[in-house]
Amino acid sequence: MQIIVLGAAAGGGFPQWNCNCPNCAGLRAGTVRATARTQSSIIVGGDDGHDWALLNASPDILEQIRHTPALQPNRGLRDTGIASVLLVDGQIDHSTGLFMLRERGVPMPLWCTDPVYEDLTTGNPILKVLGHYCGVDRKPVPLDGTPFTLDKVAGVQFSAMPLTSKAAPYSPHRELSVDGDNIGLTLTDTASGRKVFYAPGLGARTPEVFAAMAAADCVMVDGTFWTNDEMIRMGLSKKTARDIGHLPQSGEGGMMDWLDELPKSVRKILIHINNTNPILDEDSPERAELTRRGIELAYDGMHITL
Ligand code: MLT
Ligand code: MN
Ligand code: ZN
Protein backbone atom coordinates (compact mmCIF):
# COMPACT_ATOMS: atom_id res chain seq x y z
CA MET A 1 0.00 0.00 0.00
CA GLN A 2 1.20 3.45 -0.94
CA ILE A 3 0.04 6.71 0.58
CA ILE A 4 0.91 10.17 -0.71
CA VAL A 5 0.00 13.20 1.38
CA LEU A 6 -1.46 15.80 -0.98
CA GLY A 7 -2.16 18.37 1.74
CA ALA A 8 -1.16 18.27 5.41
CA ALA A 9 -2.72 21.54 6.64
CA ALA A 10 -6.11 22.11 8.23
CA GLY A 11 -8.79 24.37 6.76
CA GLY A 12 -7.22 27.59 5.45
CA GLY A 13 -3.86 26.00 4.62
CA PHE A 14 -0.48 27.36 5.64
CA PRO A 15 0.02 30.25 5.25
CA GLN A 16 -3.64 31.19 5.31
CA TRP A 17 -4.58 33.95 2.83
CA ASN A 18 -5.74 36.48 5.46
CA CYS A 19 -3.69 35.40 8.47
CA ASN A 20 -0.84 37.26 10.16
CA CYS A 21 -0.36 34.93 13.11
CA PRO A 22 3.33 34.38 14.02
CA ASN A 23 3.56 31.29 11.77
CA CYS A 24 1.83 32.74 8.70
CA ALA A 25 3.57 36.11 8.89
CA GLY A 26 6.91 34.47 9.73
CA LEU A 27 6.70 32.08 6.80
CA ARG A 28 5.92 34.92 4.38
CA ALA A 29 8.75 37.06 5.76
CA GLY A 30 11.21 34.16 5.82
CA THR A 31 11.81 34.65 9.54
CA VAL A 32 10.25 31.34 10.64
CA ARG A 33 11.76 28.05 9.44
CA ALA A 34 8.68 26.17 8.22
CA THR A 35 7.18 24.64 5.09
CA ALA A 36 3.96 25.77 3.43
CA ARG A 37 1.21 23.19 3.35
CA THR A 38 -2.04 22.87 1.38
CA GLN A 39 -5.36 21.68 2.78
CA SER A 40 -6.07 18.23 4.10
CA SER A 41 -6.08 15.31 1.65
CA ILE A 42 -4.23 12.05 0.99
CA ILE A 43 -4.26 9.44 -1.77
CA VAL A 44 -4.04 5.70 -1.19
CA GLY A 45 -3.12 3.18 -3.83
CA GLY A 46 -2.54 -0.50 -4.01
CA ASP A 47 -0.60 -2.67 -6.34
CA ASP A 48 -1.16 -1.23 -9.81
CA GLY A 49 0.34 2.21 -9.15
CA HIS A 50 -2.12 3.95 -11.48
CA ASP A 51 -5.50 4.02 -9.75
CA TRP A 52 -5.78 5.80 -6.42
CA ALA A 53 -8.42 6.54 -3.82
CA LEU A 54 -8.65 10.23 -2.99
CA LEU A 55 -9.36 10.61 0.73
CA ASN A 56 -10.94 14.05 1.02
CA ALA A 57 -11.14 16.55 -1.82
CA SER A 58 -9.47 19.77 -0.77
CA PRO A 59 -10.08 23.21 -2.31
CA ASP A 60 -6.35 23.04 -3.24
CA ILE A 61 -6.77 19.89 -5.29
CA LEU A 62 -5.73 21.30 -8.65
CA GLU A 63 -2.42 22.53 -7.21
CA GLN A 64 -2.01 19.20 -5.42
CA ILE A 65 -2.57 17.26 -8.65
CA ARG A 66 0.00 19.44 -10.46
CA HIS A 67 2.56 18.42 -7.85
CA THR A 68 1.68 14.71 -7.96
CA PRO A 69 2.68 13.04 -11.26
CA ALA A 70 1.06 9.76 -10.13
CA LEU A 71 -2.34 11.40 -10.53
CA GLN A 72 -1.81 11.97 -14.25
CA PRO A 73 -1.03 8.53 -15.70
CA ASN A 74 -1.75 9.74 -19.26
CA ARG A 75 -3.50 6.61 -20.55
CA GLY A 76 -5.78 8.55 -22.89
CA LEU A 77 -6.74 11.98 -24.16
CA ARG A 78 -8.45 12.57 -20.84
CA ASP A 79 -7.21 10.62 -17.82
CA THR A 80 -6.81 10.74 -14.05
CA GLY A 81 -5.26 8.60 -11.38
CA ILE A 82 -8.21 9.41 -9.09
CA ALA A 83 -10.37 6.31 -9.38
CA SER A 84 -12.63 6.87 -6.35
CA VAL A 85 -13.20 9.47 -3.67
CA LEU A 86 -13.86 8.83 0.01
CA LEU A 87 -14.80 11.61 2.43
CA VAL A 88 -14.24 11.45 6.19
CA ASP A 89 -16.62 14.39 6.78
CA GLY A 90 -18.45 17.13 4.93
CA GLN A 91 -16.20 20.02 5.99
CA ILE A 92 -15.36 22.68 3.40
CA ASP A 93 -11.67 21.73 3.40
CA HIS A 94 -12.53 18.09 2.66
CA SER A 95 -15.32 18.40 0.12
CA THR A 96 -15.20 21.53 -2.05
CA GLY A 97 -12.39 20.12 -4.20
CA LEU A 98 -15.06 17.92 -5.78
CA PHE A 99 -16.13 20.95 -7.83
CA MET A 100 -12.68 21.06 -9.39
CA LEU A 101 -13.10 17.47 -10.68
CA ARG A 102 -16.30 18.28 -12.61
CA GLU A 103 -14.73 17.76 -16.06
CA ARG A 104 -14.77 13.97 -15.60
CA GLY A 105 -16.54 12.17 -18.41
CA VAL A 106 -18.32 9.71 -16.13
CA PRO A 107 -19.80 10.05 -12.64
CA MET A 108 -17.29 10.05 -9.80
CA PRO A 109 -17.53 7.05 -7.47
CA LEU A 110 -17.97 8.78 -4.12
CA TRP A 111 -18.01 7.08 -0.74
CA CYS A 112 -19.41 8.93 2.26
CA THR A 113 -21.63 8.25 5.27
CA ASP A 114 -25.36 9.00 5.28
CA PRO A 115 -25.07 12.19 7.43
CA VAL A 116 -22.32 13.55 5.15
CA TYR A 117 -24.41 12.71 2.08
CA GLU A 118 -27.31 14.57 3.64
CA ASP A 119 -25.15 17.63 4.38
CA LEU A 120 -23.69 17.62 0.88
CA THR A 121 -27.12 17.47 -0.73
CA THR A 122 -28.89 19.98 1.55
CA GLY A 123 -26.91 22.52 3.68
CA ASN A 124 -24.04 22.59 1.18
CA PRO A 125 -25.48 20.86 -1.90
CA ILE A 126 -22.19 20.21 -3.70
CA LEU A 127 -23.36 16.83 -4.92
CA LYS A 128 -26.55 18.28 -6.41
CA VAL A 129 -24.59 20.95 -8.23
CA LEU A 130 -22.17 18.31 -9.51
CA GLY A 131 -25.18 16.49 -10.93
CA HIS A 132 -25.19 19.20 -13.62
CA TYR A 133 -21.59 18.28 -14.53
CA CYS A 134 -20.06 14.79 -14.18
CA GLY A 135 -22.35 13.70 -11.35
CA VAL A 136 -21.42 11.31 -8.56
CA ASP A 137 -22.04 7.63 -8.11
CA ARG A 138 -22.59 7.73 -4.35
CA LYS A 139 -21.86 4.68 -2.20
CA PRO A 140 -22.64 4.52 1.53
CA VAL A 141 -19.81 3.96 4.00
CA PRO A 142 -20.82 1.34 6.57
CA LEU A 143 -20.28 2.54 10.13
CA ASP A 144 -20.16 -0.88 11.76
CA GLY A 145 -16.65 -1.66 10.58
CA THR A 146 -17.70 -3.89 7.68
CA PRO A 147 -14.76 -3.88 5.26
CA PHE A 148 -15.29 -2.40 1.82
CA THR A 149 -13.22 -1.81 -1.30
CA LEU A 150 -13.18 1.16 -3.66
CA ASP A 151 -13.66 0.96 -7.42
CA LYS A 152 -10.41 0.09 -9.21
CA VAL A 153 -8.28 0.58 -6.08
CA ALA A 154 -6.76 -2.88 -5.90
CA GLY A 155 -5.06 -4.35 -2.86
CA VAL A 156 -6.45 -1.99 -0.22
CA GLN A 157 -9.39 -2.71 2.05
CA PHE A 158 -11.15 0.06 3.97
CA SER A 159 -13.18 0.07 7.16
CA ALA A 160 -14.73 2.99 9.02
CA MET A 161 -15.70 3.87 12.58
CA PRO A 162 -17.65 6.88 13.82
CA LEU A 163 -15.60 9.48 15.70
CA THR A 164 -16.42 12.08 18.29
CA SER A 165 -15.71 15.27 16.39
CA LYS A 166 -17.89 17.93 14.71
CA ALA A 167 -19.93 18.24 11.54
CA ALA A 168 -19.23 21.32 9.41
CA PRO A 169 -20.55 24.68 10.69
CA TYR A 170 -23.35 24.72 8.06
CA SER A 171 -24.65 21.30 9.14
CA PRO A 172 -27.91 21.05 11.13
CA HIS A 173 -26.03 18.59 13.42
CA ARG A 174 -23.06 20.88 14.10
CA GLU A 175 -23.96 21.05 17.81
CA LEU A 176 -25.78 17.74 18.03
CA SER A 177 -23.43 15.27 16.45
CA VAL A 178 -24.71 12.08 14.90
CA ASP A 179 -22.71 8.93 14.18
CA GLY A 180 -21.10 9.35 10.80
CA ASP A 181 -20.55 13.13 10.84
CA ASN A 182 -16.87 12.22 11.06
CA ILE A 183 -15.18 8.88 10.59
CA GLY A 184 -11.82 7.29 11.19
CA LEU A 185 -10.59 4.91 8.52
CA THR A 186 -8.49 1.79 8.76
CA LEU A 187 -6.72 1.07 5.47
CA THR A 188 -5.43 -2.48 5.17
CA ASP A 189 -2.99 -3.81 2.60
CA THR A 190 -4.70 -7.04 1.62
CA ALA A 191 -1.43 -8.80 0.75
CA SER A 192 0.65 -7.94 3.84
CA GLY A 193 -2.15 -7.22 6.33
CA ARG A 194 -0.41 -3.99 7.30
CA LYS A 195 -2.71 -1.19 8.43
CA VAL A 196 -2.91 2.59 8.57
CA PHE A 197 -5.42 4.43 10.75
CA TYR A 198 -6.39 7.82 9.29
CA ALA A 199 -8.40 10.38 11.24
CA PRO A 200 -7.70 14.04 10.43
CA GLY A 201 -10.59 15.22 12.62
CA LEU A 202 -10.57 13.46 15.97
CA GLY A 203 -12.13 15.19 18.95
CA ALA A 204 -12.06 12.70 21.80
CA ARG A 205 -10.55 9.50 22.95
CA THR A 206 -12.69 6.36 23.07
CA PRO A 207 -11.66 2.75 23.73
CA GLU A 208 -12.75 1.80 20.19
CA VAL A 209 -10.57 4.42 18.54
CA PHE A 210 -7.62 3.59 20.78
CA ALA A 211 -7.96 -0.09 19.84
CA ALA A 212 -8.02 0.78 16.12
CA MET A 213 -4.91 2.94 16.54
CA ALA A 214 -3.10 0.27 18.55
CA ALA A 215 -3.91 -2.34 15.88
CA ALA A 216 -2.37 -0.20 13.11
CA ASP A 217 1.24 -0.09 11.90
CA CYS A 218 0.94 3.64 11.28
CA VAL A 219 -1.50 6.30 12.49
CA MET A 220 -2.17 9.58 10.70
CA VAL A 221 -4.23 11.59 13.15
CA ASP A 222 -5.56 15.03 14.04
CA GLY A 223 -2.70 17.52 14.33
CA THR A 224 -4.87 20.65 14.19
CA PHE A 225 -4.01 22.44 17.45
CA TRP A 226 -1.28 22.34 20.07
CA THR A 227 -3.39 23.80 22.88
CA ASN A 228 -7.11 23.73 23.54
CA ASP A 229 -7.34 27.55 23.71
CA GLU A 230 -4.90 28.30 20.87
CA MET A 231 -7.38 30.25 18.73
CA ILE A 232 -8.81 32.10 21.74
CA ARG A 233 -5.41 33.20 23.05
CA MET A 234 -4.44 34.50 19.62
CA GLY A 235 -7.69 36.44 19.41
CA LEU A 236 -8.80 34.50 16.34
CA SER A 237 -11.86 32.68 17.67
CA LYS A 238 -14.06 32.28 20.72
CA LYS A 239 -13.99 28.50 20.46
CA THR A 240 -11.64 25.92 21.87
CA ALA A 241 -10.09 23.12 19.84
CA ARG A 242 -12.41 20.62 21.54
CA ASP A 243 -15.43 22.86 20.81
CA ILE A 244 -14.80 22.41 17.09
CA GLY A 245 -14.00 18.72 17.29
CA HIS A 246 -10.21 18.61 17.48
CA LEU A 247 -8.25 17.07 20.35
CA PRO A 248 -5.22 19.28 21.09
CA GLN A 249 -1.78 17.71 21.25
CA SER A 250 -0.67 19.12 24.61
CA GLY A 251 -2.28 19.04 28.03
CA GLU A 252 -3.63 16.20 30.09
CA GLY A 253 -5.42 13.61 27.97
CA GLY A 254 -4.16 15.33 24.81
CA MET A 255 -3.03 13.61 21.64
CA MET A 256 0.60 13.28 22.78
CA ASP A 257 -0.42 11.36 25.90
CA TRP A 258 -2.54 9.14 23.78
CA LEU A 259 0.17 8.48 21.18
CA ASP A 260 2.64 7.69 23.98
CA GLU A 261 0.43 4.81 25.05
CA LEU A 262 0.49 3.12 21.66
CA PRO A 263 2.79 0.16 21.08
CA LYS A 264 6.32 1.38 20.28
CA SER A 265 6.14 -0.20 16.82
CA VAL A 266 3.35 2.14 15.65
CA ARG A 267 4.52 4.98 13.38
CA LYS A 268 2.89 8.21 14.59
CA ILE A 269 2.13 11.05 12.19
CA LEU A 270 0.14 14.24 12.78
CA ILE A 271 -1.89 15.55 9.84
CA HIS A 272 -4.47 18.36 9.31
CA ILE A 273 -2.23 20.89 11.05
CA ASN A 274 -3.66 24.36 11.61
CA ASN A 275 -1.53 27.32 10.57
CA THR A 276 -1.52 28.65 14.16
CA ASN A 277 0.06 25.47 15.55
CA PRO A 278 3.58 26.14 16.92
CA ILE A 279 4.74 22.68 15.78
CA LEU A 280 4.94 24.07 12.23
CA ASP A 281 7.92 26.18 13.34
CA GLU A 282 10.83 23.77 12.98
CA ASP A 283 12.80 25.63 15.65
CA SER A 284 10.03 25.70 18.27
CA PRO A 285 10.20 23.85 21.59
CA GLU A 286 6.85 22.26 20.72
CA ARG A 287 8.33 20.75 17.57
CA ALA A 288 11.32 19.50 19.59
CA GLU A 289 8.95 17.83 22.02
CA LEU A 290 7.24 15.95 19.20
CA THR A 291 10.59 14.83 17.84
CA ARG A 292 11.61 13.63 21.30
CA ARG A 293 8.43 11.58 21.49
CA GLY A 294 8.93 10.09 18.02
CA ILE A 295 5.94 11.88 16.50
CA GLU A 296 6.24 13.04 12.87
CA LEU A 297 4.47 15.86 11.04
CA ALA A 298 2.93 15.15 7.67
CA TYR A 299 3.98 17.42 4.81
CA ASP A 300 2.73 17.84 1.27
CA GLY A 301 4.31 15.19 -0.94
CA MET A 302 5.11 12.83 1.97
CA HIS A 303 5.23 9.25 0.72
CA ILE A 304 4.39 6.31 2.97
CA THR A 305 4.86 2.71 1.84
CA LEU A 306 3.49 -0.11 3.93
C1 MLT B 1 -12.20 21.82 10.66
O1 MLT B 1 -11.68 20.74 10.45
O2 MLT B 1 -12.56 22.17 11.79
C2 MLT B 1 -12.43 22.66 9.45
O3 MLT B 1 -11.38 22.43 8.55
C3 MLT B 1 -12.60 24.08 9.62
C4 MLT B 1 -12.74 24.77 8.26
O4 MLT B 1 -12.64 24.15 7.20
O5 MLT B 1 -12.99 25.96 8.24
MN1 MN C 1 -10.81 20.44 8.48
ZN1 ZN D 1 -1.96 31.89 10.58
Side-chain angles (χ1 to χ4, degrees):
M1 170 165 57
Q2 306 271 348
I3 293 178
I4 301 175
V5 175
L6 298 187
F14 175 49
Q16 181 174 311
W17 66 282
N18 63 346
C19 191
N20 290 303
C21 76
N23 281 343
C24 290
L27 182 69
R28 280 189 209 101
T31 53
V32 165
R33 202 158 64 91
T35 306
R37 285 165 167 84
T38 61
Q39 293 169 85
S40 177
S41 177
I42 66 172
I43 55 171
V44 183
D47 310 328
D48 84 344
H50 295 305
D51 291 302
W52 300 79
L54 177 71
L55 273 49
N56 301 317
S58 137
D60 300 320
I61 191 163
L62 296 183
E63 183 188 341
Q64 295 170 341
I65 291 171
R66 279 181 207 114
H67 287 103
T68 312
L71 290 180
Q72 186 41 267
N74 190 16
R75 295 165 292 194
L77 186 56
R78 289 260 166 103
D79 192 25
T80 176
I82 300 172
S84 289
V85 183
L86 170 53
L87 304 180
V88 301
D89 58 37
Q91 296 268 10
I92 298 276
D93 60 343
H94 285 160
S95 59
T96 44
L98 290 171
F99 278 145
M100 274 65 239
L101 306 179
R102 67 191 176 285
E103 293 92 352
R104 272 179 72 94
V106 290
M108 173 69 81
L110 177 85
W111 293 78
C112 63
T113 64
D114 288 340
V116 168
Y117 184 69
E118 189 191 322
D119 281 346
L120 294 181
T121 47
T122 57
N124 182 15
I126 293 177
L127 304 185
K128 286 209 162 146
V129 176
L130 273 179
H132 298 277
Y133 298 86
C134 60
V136 298
D137 176 14
R138 189 263 168 160
K139 320 207 183 219
V141 169
L143 285 175
D144 61 1
T146 305
F148 57 98
T149 53
L150 268 54
D151 306 47
K152 292 211 260 178
V153 182
V156 186
Q157 197 176 63
F158 296 76
S159 70
M161 62 167 50
L163 298 179
T164 304
S165 189
K166 278 282 160 79
Y170 68 81
S171 168
H173 10 101
R174 170 73 165 177
E175 297 307 333
L176 208 68
S177 297
V178 299
D179 271 3
D181 280 336
N182 308 82
I183 52 172
L185 291 168
T186 295
L187 324 171
T188 306
D189 183 297
T190 50
S192 68
R194 289 170 69 81
K195 294 179 197 305
V196 174
F197 181 75
Y198 172 62
L202 180 51
R205 178 174 175 155
T206 62
E208 293 78 16
V209 179
F210 185 80
M213 285 168 67
D217 299 280
C218 172
V219 298
M220 302 177 79
V221 291
D222 195 327
T224 313
F225 298 113
W226 178 255
T227 40
N228 195 39
D229 61 354
E230 189 167 310
M231 297 287 275
I232 298 174
R233 275 197 291 131
M234 287 193 187
L236 296 173
S237 169
K238 293 191 164 50
K239 297 201 164 154
T240 65
R242 285 187 166 88
D243 284 341
I244 62 168
H246 298 292
L247 184 72
Q249 282 106 59
S250 65
E252 193 160 341
M255 187 64 86
M256 282 191 298
D257 280 357
W258 194 354
L259 293 177
D260 276 349
E261 286 175 43
L262 292 175
K264 291 283 163 272
S265 57
V266 179
R267 186 173 175 189
K268 299 170 277 242
I269 301 171
L270 296 175
I271 196 161
H272 190 277
I273 305 157
N274 199 55
N275 58 76
T276 51
N277 193 326
I279 61 177
L280 287 167
D281 177 347
E282 290 165 32
D283 299 314
S284 66
E286 293 85 356
R287 178 65 164 267
E289 180 161 5
L290 289 187
T291 305
R292 195 167 45 74
R293 292 176 187 244
I295 302 170
E296 300 171 62
L297 258 71
Y299 52 87
D300 296 13
M302 186 183 202
H303 230 103
I304 296 159
T305 304
L306 276 181

